């Protein structure tokens, strides 16, 4: 079979890579072409376009890059037409992927979606489009089958692939002294800073995170970076280059951390599954926030709280971030009861996420549905 897989950000690259590994087990003759990153490429797919060229966040960022986005669509459609896949597998990234789904459907190509767009948070109208252009949907959150059932659309729940990714990575975690020595860390306890994987996220959150670090002299703050961004990009937003920056070892860093300050997104769930108390923050363009706020009457915006449907981690949005992050870190670090309560909720969260095996289950179903026509 020929598979064309599209992921638009770092988390999609991770899950896409694990899916590719599982697909190759189920279908040894699989030929896979992808949009994603190094992880998907290393798993055996031919990389067409890196996600760093396609990730735009917020209304104004999208408007500023409309010409480039249009070029990406044209290139994608031409590449699909030339490759002639048996199926297109889309991973989250709805602004781009749902348009690709429409194109694929018009050409008679099967469309499978792995990791649903978060239509249960915003833009529920997209469910109508999904029903029209997506042949099979494989979801990763326990509440999603019931959500889609309300719209008369049957989906397959496969569990959360983060459980797979974390368990696999744990096998190669270094000893603490080795990790600290390799990165020239002091013996102070660590607070991890996870400012996101997109340029816009990092540019808005990293300066705030650095300011917070000065309020905790008894801890060392360490930034989790990604090579999806230029190595020196982070230093554009730091006045103190002494803050350690460690690339592409977020799981290892978290495993040695006492607490974390995390940009809203997949990283909040990763942090929870690694049992690190955290505070979640989110900051976007002011105009985007002002214009968009009336249309997003959501209860929570972090995956941890959404899955648990309760306030497990503190969510801080847009304003007074330095003050509020400092206050929340003080609670996490100095109120044992508060910390223990969060960790206990993490255990419940882990059970809800379904354990390991999601990538394998998804691959089995994909191959099964393709073989059954």
């Amino acid at each position: 079979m020929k598979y064309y897989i599209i992921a638009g950000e770092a988390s999609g690259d991770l899950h896409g890579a694990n899916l590719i590994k599982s697909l190759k087990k189920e279908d040894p003759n699989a030929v896979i072409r992808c949009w994603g990153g190094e992880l998907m490429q290393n798993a055996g797919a031919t990389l067409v376009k890196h996600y760093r060229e396609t990730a735009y966040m917020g209304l104004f960022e999208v408007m500023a890059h409309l010409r480039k986005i249009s070029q990406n669509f044209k290139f994608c459609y031409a590449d699909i037409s030339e490759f002639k896949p048996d199926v297109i597998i889309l991973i989250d990234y709805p602004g781009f992927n749902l348009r690709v789904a429409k194109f694929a459907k018009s050409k008679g190509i099967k469309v499978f979606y792995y990791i649903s767009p978060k239509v249960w948070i915003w833009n529920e109208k997209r469910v109508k489009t999904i029903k029209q252009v997506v042949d099979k949907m494989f979801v990763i959150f326990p509440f999603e089958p019931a959500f889609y059932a309300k719209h008369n659309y049957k989906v397959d729940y496969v569990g959360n692939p983060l459980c797979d990714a974390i368990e696999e990575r744990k096998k190669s975690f270094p000893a603490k002294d080795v990790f600290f020595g390799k990165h020239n860390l002091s013996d102070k306890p660590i607070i991890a800073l996870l400012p996101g994987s997109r340029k816009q996220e990092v540019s808005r959150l990293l300066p705030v995170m650095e300011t917070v670090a000065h309020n905790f002299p008894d801890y060392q703050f360490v930034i989790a970076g990604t090579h999806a961004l230029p190595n020196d990009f982070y230093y554009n937003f730091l006045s103190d280059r002494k803050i350690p920056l460690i690339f592409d070892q977020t799981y290892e860093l978290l495993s040695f951390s006492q607490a974390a300050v995390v940009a809203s997104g997949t990283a909040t769930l990763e942090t929870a599954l690694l049992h690190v108390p955290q505070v979640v923050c989110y900051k976007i363009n002011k105009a985007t926030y002002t214009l968009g706020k009336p249309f997003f009457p959501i209860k929570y915006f972090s995956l941890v709280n959404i899955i648990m449907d309760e306030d497990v981690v503190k969510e801080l949005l847009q304003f007074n971030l330095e003050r509020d992050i400092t206050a929340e870190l003080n609670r996490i670090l100095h109120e044992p009861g508060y910390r223990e309560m969060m960790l206990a909720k993490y255990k419940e969260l882990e059970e809800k996420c379904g354990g390991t095996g999601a990538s394998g289950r998804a691959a089995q179903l994909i191959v099964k549905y393709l073989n059954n026509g």
Side-chain angles (χ1 to χ4, degrees):
M1 292 282 188
K2 295 169 71 175
Y3 304 82
Y4 199 99
I5 305 177
I6 301 178
E9 56 189 3
S11 61
D13 183 34
L14 172 65
H15 301 320
N18 287 329
L19 179 65
I20 288 166
K21 293 173 187 175
S22 295
L23 282 171
K24 285 183 171 291
K25 290 179 182 177
E26 297 296 322
D27 179 5
N29 297 317
V31 178
I32 303 173
R33 196 166 174 83
C34 75
W35 290 45
E38 289 85 0
L39 296 178
M40 294 173 74
Q41 184 177 40
N42 293 339
T46 299
L47 181 63
V48 180
K49 182 82 72 171
H50 200 287
Y51 63 79
R52 71 168 69 95
E53 300 179 54
T54 63
Y56 302 108
M57 177 180 153
L59 174 63
F60 288 89
E61 287 78 16
V62 169
M63 291 176 64
H65 295 90
L66 283 176
R67 183 177 179 183
K68 180 63 176 177
I69 292 170
S70 177
Q71 291 172 346
N72 284 339
F73 277 117
K74 290 179 182 178
F75 176 80
C76 184
Y77 298 161
D79 196 56
I80 289 171
S81 297
E82 183 177 349
F83 183 60
K84 296 181 173 58
D86 295 290
V87 63
I88 290 180
I89 302 173
L90 308 172
I91 300 177
D92 201 355
Y93 195 45
F96 189 88
N97 276 341
L98 284 177
R99 283 183 61 179
V100 173
K102 290 179 184 178
F103 169 79
K105 196 70 173 177
S106 73
K107 299 298 181 182
I109 302 171
K110 286 187 179 296
V111 178
F112 292 175
Y113 219 122
Y114 177 51
I115 305 180
S116 167
K118 297 176 180 61
V119 287
W120 26 268
I121 295 181
W122 49 270
N123 208 347
E124 194 166 333
K125 293 179 181 178
R126 276 183 167 162
V127 176
K128 181 179 179 181
T129 301
I130 288 171
K131 291 173 67 175
Q132 292 171 342
V133 300
V134 176
D135 296 293
K136 295 292 181 182
M137 173 73 76
F138 308 100
V139 300
I140 66 171
F141 296 116
F143 54 82
E144 288 179 305
F147 168 82
Y148 277 107
K150 291 191 304 183
H151 296 274
N152 297 311
Y153 185 64
K154 186 180 183 302
V155 300
D156 289 289
Y157 174 59
V158 295
N160 200 296
L162 279 179
C163 297
D164 292 329
I166 290 172
E167 284 305 309
E168 182 63 28
R169 194 70 167 267
K170 281 181 178 179
K171 296 175 184 177
S172 60
F173 277 3
K176 182 177 179 180
D177 59 336
V178 173
F179 184 81
F180 276 51
K182 177 182 178 181
H183 298 291
N184 298 312
L185 301 178
S186 73
D187 58 359
K188 291 181 179 179
I190 293 175
I191 296 177
L193 302 179
L194 280 61
S197 60
R198 299 185 182 97
K199 288 183 176 180
Q200 294 92 346
E201 288 178 312
V202 174
S203 65
R204 292 183 184 124
L205 290 175
L206 192 52
V208 177
M209 291 179 175
E210 179 190 25
T211 304
V212 170
H214 297 309
N215 298 325
F216 296 87
D218 295 331
Y219 293 82
Q220 59 179 326
F221 284 68
V222 183
I223 302 164
T226 170
H227 277 125
L229 300 177
N231 285 13
D232 60 352
F233 177 77
Y234 294 85
Y235 290 114
N236 294 325
F237 310 101
L238 291 172
S239 60
D240 183 1
R241 285 178 171 255
K242 294 181 181 179
I243 296 181
L245 174 58
I246 298 177
F247 287 96
D248 299 329
Q249 295 185 63
T250 301
Y251 290 177
E252 290 84 346
L253 173 61
L254 286 169
S255 73
F256 298 118
S257 297
Q258 295 295 304
V261 184
V262 186
S264 179
T266 303
T268 63
L269 183 54
E270 292 172 314
T271 303
L273 292 174
L274 283 160
H275 308 138
V276 182
Q278 66 184 298
V279 52
V280 180
C281 47
Y282 186 58
K283 188 177 184 181
I284 58 176
N285 179 284
K286 289 183 180 179
T288 299
Y289 174 78
T290 302
L291 291 172
K293 187 179 179 182
F295 301 100
F296 305 113
I298 59 174
K299 189 175 180 181
Y300 303 113
F301 62 82
S302 72
L303 287 174
V304 175
N305 290 350
I306 290 169
I307 294 170
M308 294 296 289
D309 194 26
E310 61 178 295
D311 290 297
V312 175
V313 297
K314 188 72 172 180
E315 300 178 342
L316 303 177
L317 175 63
Q318 203 73 4
F319 305 110
N320 301 315
L321 288 181
E322 179 194 346
R323 182 198 67 193
D324 293 341
I325 291 171
T326 298
E328 182 63 12
L329 279 179
N330 273 315
R331 291 197 72 188
I332 289 171
L333 297 170
H334 304 305
E335 294 184 23
Y338 184 67
R339 180 185 186 86
E340 289 165 9
M341 178 186 68
M342 191 180 296
L343 291 173
K345 290 295 182 181
Y346 281 177
K347 290 182 180 179
E348 294 180 29
L349 172 73
E350 199 166 4
E351 292 175 3
K352 285 193 173 186
C353 285
T356 59
S359 304
R361 288 188 287 271
Q364 288 171 4
L365 286 170
I366 288 169
V367 172
K368 172 187 171 183
Y369 287 139
L370 288 174
N371 287 334
N372 291 343

